[in-house]
Amino acid sequence: MFRPALAALFLFATPLQAEVPRIAVDIAPVYGLVEQVLGDLGRPDLVIRPGALPHDFALRPSQAAVLEQADLVIWVGPGLTPWLEDSLETLAGDADQLRLLEVEGTRLLEMREGANFAGHEDAAEHEGEGEGEPDSGSINPHAWLDPENARIWLLAIADALADADPRNARTYLDNAEAAANDLGALVAEVDAQLAPVRDARFVVLHDAYHYFEDRFGLQAIGAIADGEATPPGAARIMELLEGMADGDVACLFYEPQSDINLAYAVLETGLPTASLDPLGMSLLPEPDFYTALIRDMADTALDCLSES
Ligand SMILES: [Zn+2]
């Protein structure tokens, strides 16, 4: 016997949480944003654990399982993790995807090339899905380090979650709007905090911070390596040292994940160094992880750039 009233009762007696889709995310900063949108309704599954190098990564069986179980995959995009595109096709072919670099309105910057970023002082800007397709090979994929991109992504994440789980749509949108407002305040705060070191010159390990620099008016003068897993050759080191010979370099930033930090030793500059962590590997358990990541980077940058 069909009893619609009882069926309806069961439907609404089911906790909303049971309906929340399984979400896989690529890196910890994206985990932090998705977690804020989910609020109390659940937690995403993180594929690339803090401490691993996203550009250069081998999927373990447990991480493959996360992708297989996902209803929705939220990731930066193949520009950051080219290997993930094939894995998604094989393991998560039925899952929906949100590629954050392709979200409309995302501010995209180019990868600066050469040890001294020569000729890329005013790198061309692109808008996500704007007129004409920018050459994806030249796009700097570390776009999460601009909190204004993160604000736009929060709303895109809420939309994607609402599509997958319409009953909680209102909650996702409310959570995203609250988090986006907090980020607006954070940008103003960090902008004021970093004002005293705006003219400081510094060198980075690889071009991971372009978005952070650009948002807060800082500018690296060069990078020791092309990528976080690509040790520099002698010619590049020479070129970098020549660029630094103009003097007044306040700080060298290295990355906790990278094996090529040792390459800094060959510079033998005696300059202050600091670990500037674009992925927040030591911060992940913190609530409001994304905000903690930006604050941690700002504090580290201010400390080291103020030293000389
Ligand atoms: Zn990188």
Side-chain angles (χ1 to χ4, degrees), residues 53-55 79-80 111 140-142 144 206-209 226-229 255 278-279:
L53 300 174
H55 298 299
L80 182 70
M111 207 70 193
N140 188 319
H142 309 85
W144 68 89
H206 88 295
D207 193 13
Y209 315 105
D226 239 351
E228 67 200 359
E255 296 173 37
L279 293 163

Short mmCIF file of all heavy atoms in Angstrom, two decimals, residues 53-55 79-80 111 140-142 144 206-209 226-229 255 278-279, ligand 1:
data_model
loop_
_atom_site.label_atom_id
_atom_site.label_comp_id
_atom_site.label_asym_id
_atom_site.label_seq_id
_atom_site.Cartn_x
_atom_site.Cartn_y
_atom_site.Cartn_z
N LEU A 53 54.19 17.78 -3.03
CA LEU A 53 54.34 18.79 -4.07
C LEU A 53 53.23 18.63 -5.09
O LEU A 53 53.17 17.62 -5.77
CB LEU A 53 55.69 18.63 -4.79
CG LEU A 53 56.95 18.75 -3.93
CD1 LEU A 53 58.19 18.42 -4.76
CD2 LEU A 53 57.07 20.16 -3.37
N PRO A 54 52.36 19.62 -5.21
CA PRO A 54 51.22 19.43 -6.12
C PRO A 54 51.60 19.28 -7.59
O PRO A 54 50.96 18.54 -8.31
CB PRO A 54 50.36 20.69 -5.91
CG PRO A 54 51.19 21.65 -5.16
CD PRO A 54 52.29 20.89 -4.48
N HIS A 55 52.66 19.99 -8.03
CA HIS A 55 53.01 19.93 -9.46
C HIS A 55 53.49 18.54 -9.85
O HIS A 55 53.47 18.16 -11.00
CB HIS A 55 54.14 20.90 -9.80
CG HIS A 55 53.80 22.34 -9.56
ND1 HIS A 55 52.78 22.98 -10.20
CD2 HIS A 55 54.36 23.25 -8.75
CE1 HIS A 55 52.72 24.25 -9.79
NE2 HIS A 55 53.67 24.44 -8.90
N GLY A 79 46.40 23.27 -14.78
CA GLY A 79 47.59 24.12 -14.76
C GLY A 79 48.46 23.86 -13.54
O GLY A 79 49.68 23.97 -13.59
N LEU A 80 47.83 23.50 -12.42
CA LEU A 80 48.58 23.20 -11.20
C LEU A 80 48.95 21.72 -11.13
O LEU A 80 50.07 21.37 -10.77
CB LEU A 80 47.76 23.58 -9.96
CG LEU A 80 48.47 23.36 -8.62
CD1 LEU A 80 49.60 24.36 -8.44
CD2 LEU A 80 47.50 23.45 -7.45
N MET A 111 52.85 33.35 -15.59
CA MET A 111 54.04 32.83 -14.93
C MET A 111 55.20 33.72 -15.37
O MET A 111 55.37 33.97 -16.56
CB MET A 111 54.25 31.38 -15.42
CG MET A 111 54.96 30.48 -14.48
SD MET A 111 54.01 30.03 -13.02
CE MET A 111 55.33 29.32 -12.04
N ASN A 140 49.91 31.44 -14.46
CA ASN A 140 50.42 31.04 -13.15
C ASN A 140 49.26 30.39 -12.38
O ASN A 140 48.25 31.03 -12.14
CB ASN A 140 50.95 32.28 -12.43
CG ASN A 140 51.67 31.93 -11.14
OD1 ASN A 140 51.22 31.06 -10.39
ND2 ASN A 140 52.76 32.61 -10.88
N PRO A 141 49.42 29.11 -11.99
CA PRO A 141 48.27 28.41 -11.38
C PRO A 141 48.05 28.69 -9.90
O PRO A 141 47.06 28.23 -9.34
CB PRO A 141 48.63 26.93 -11.60
CG PRO A 141 50.12 26.89 -11.58
CD PRO A 141 50.58 28.21 -12.19
N HIS A 142 48.94 29.45 -9.25
CA HIS A 142 48.83 29.62 -7.79
C HIS A 142 47.82 30.72 -7.42
O HIS A 142 48.06 31.54 -6.52
CB HIS A 142 50.20 29.97 -7.20
CG HIS A 142 51.29 29.03 -7.61
ND1 HIS A 142 52.00 29.17 -8.78
CD2 HIS A 142 51.78 27.93 -7.00
CE1 HIS A 142 52.90 28.18 -8.88
NE2 HIS A 142 52.78 27.41 -7.82
N TRP A 144 45.06 30.85 -5.86
CA TRP A 144 44.40 30.89 -4.55
C TRP A 144 45.07 31.89 -3.61
O TRP A 144 44.49 32.26 -2.59
CB TRP A 144 44.38 29.50 -3.91
CG TRP A 144 45.72 28.97 -3.50
CD1 TRP A 144 46.35 29.15 -2.29
CD2 TRP A 144 46.61 28.18 -4.29
NE1 TRP A 144 47.57 28.52 -2.30
CE2 TRP A 144 47.76 27.92 -3.51
CE3 TRP A 144 46.55 27.67 -5.60
CZ2 TRP A 144 48.85 27.17 -3.98
CZ3 TRP A 144 47.63 26.93 -6.07
CH2 TRP A 144 48.75 26.69 -5.27
N HIS A 206 60.30 29.50 -6.21
CA HIS A 206 59.73 29.48 -7.56
C HIS A 206 58.55 30.44 -7.56
O HIS A 206 58.16 30.95 -6.52
CB HIS A 206 59.38 28.06 -8.02
CG HIS A 206 58.01 27.56 -7.66
ND1 HIS A 206 57.60 27.34 -6.37
CD2 HIS A 206 56.96 27.22 -8.45
CE1 HIS A 206 56.36 26.88 -6.38
NE2 HIS A 206 55.94 26.80 -7.62
N ASP A 207 58.02 30.71 -8.74
CA ASP A 207 57.07 31.81 -8.88
C ASP A 207 55.70 31.45 -8.32
O ASP A 207 54.69 31.45 -9.02
CB ASP A 207 56.97 32.21 -10.36
CG ASP A 207 56.26 33.56 -10.53
OD1 ASP A 207 56.09 34.26 -9.52
OD2 ASP A 207 55.88 33.87 -11.67
N ALA A 208 55.65 31.18 -7.02
CA ALA A 208 54.42 30.71 -6.38
C ALA A 208 53.58 31.85 -5.80
O ALA A 208 52.42 31.66 -5.50
CB ALA A 208 54.75 29.70 -5.27
N TYR A 209 54.18 33.02 -5.63
CA TYR A 209 53.51 34.07 -4.83
C TYR A 209 53.04 35.27 -5.66
O TYR A 209 52.71 36.30 -5.09
CB TYR A 209 54.45 34.58 -3.72
CG TYR A 209 55.16 33.48 -2.99
CD1 TYR A 209 56.50 33.23 -3.21
CD2 TYR A 209 54.47 32.68 -2.09
CE1 TYR A 209 57.15 32.21 -2.54
CE2 TYR A 209 55.11 31.65 -1.41
CZ TYR A 209 56.44 31.43 -1.65
OH TYR A 209 57.08 30.42 -0.99
N ASP A 226 62.68 27.26 -11.73
CA ASP A 226 61.54 27.36 -12.63
C ASP A 226 60.28 26.78 -11.98
O ASP A 226 59.17 27.24 -12.19
CB ASP A 226 61.84 26.55 -13.89
CG ASP A 226 61.78 27.43 -15.12
OD1 ASP A 226 61.35 28.58 -14.99
OD2 ASP A 226 62.16 26.96 -16.20
N GLY A 227 60.47 25.72 -11.21
CA GLY A 227 59.35 25.06 -10.55
C GLY A 227 59.83 24.55 -9.21
O GLY A 227 61.03 24.52 -8.95
N GLU A 228 58.88 24.12 -8.38
CA GLU A 228 59.27 23.72 -7.03
C GLU A 228 60.05 22.41 -7.01
O GLU A 228 60.65 22.06 -6.01
CB GLU A 228 58.02 23.61 -6.16
CG GLU A 228 57.11 22.47 -6.57
CD GLU A 228 55.69 22.66 -6.06
OE1 GLU A 228 55.41 23.64 -5.36
OE2 GLU A 228 54.87 21.80 -6.36
N ALA A 229 60.02 21.67 -8.12
CA ALA A 229 60.72 20.39 -8.17
C ALA A 229 61.80 20.38 -9.24
O ALA A 229 62.28 19.34 -9.64
CB ALA A 229 59.73 19.26 -8.42
N GLU A 255 60.46 27.30 0.40
CA GLU A 255 59.17 26.63 0.57
C GLU A 255 59.37 25.34 1.34
O GLU A 255 60.24 24.55 0.99
CB GLU A 255 58.55 26.32 -0.80
CG GLU A 255 58.21 27.56 -1.60
CD GLU A 255 57.75 27.22 -3.01
OE1 GLU A 255 57.06 26.22 -3.19
OE2 GLU A 255 58.11 28.00 -3.91
N PRO A 278 53.07 28.40 0.61
CA PRO A 278 51.87 28.69 -0.17
C PRO A 278 50.74 27.69 0.04
O PRO A 278 49.62 27.92 -0.40
CB PRO A 278 52.36 28.63 -1.62
CG PRO A 278 53.56 27.74 -1.59
CD PRO A 278 54.18 27.89 -0.23
N LEU A 279 51.02 26.58 0.71
CA LEU A 279 50.00 25.53 0.90
C LEU A 279 49.58 25.38 2.36
O LEU A 279 48.65 24.64 2.66
CB LEU A 279 50.53 24.19 0.38
CG LEU A 279 50.73 24.12 -1.13
CD1 LEU A 279 51.61 22.95 -1.52
CD2 LEU A 279 49.40 24.04 -1.85
ZN ZN B 1 54.05 25.96 -7.61
#
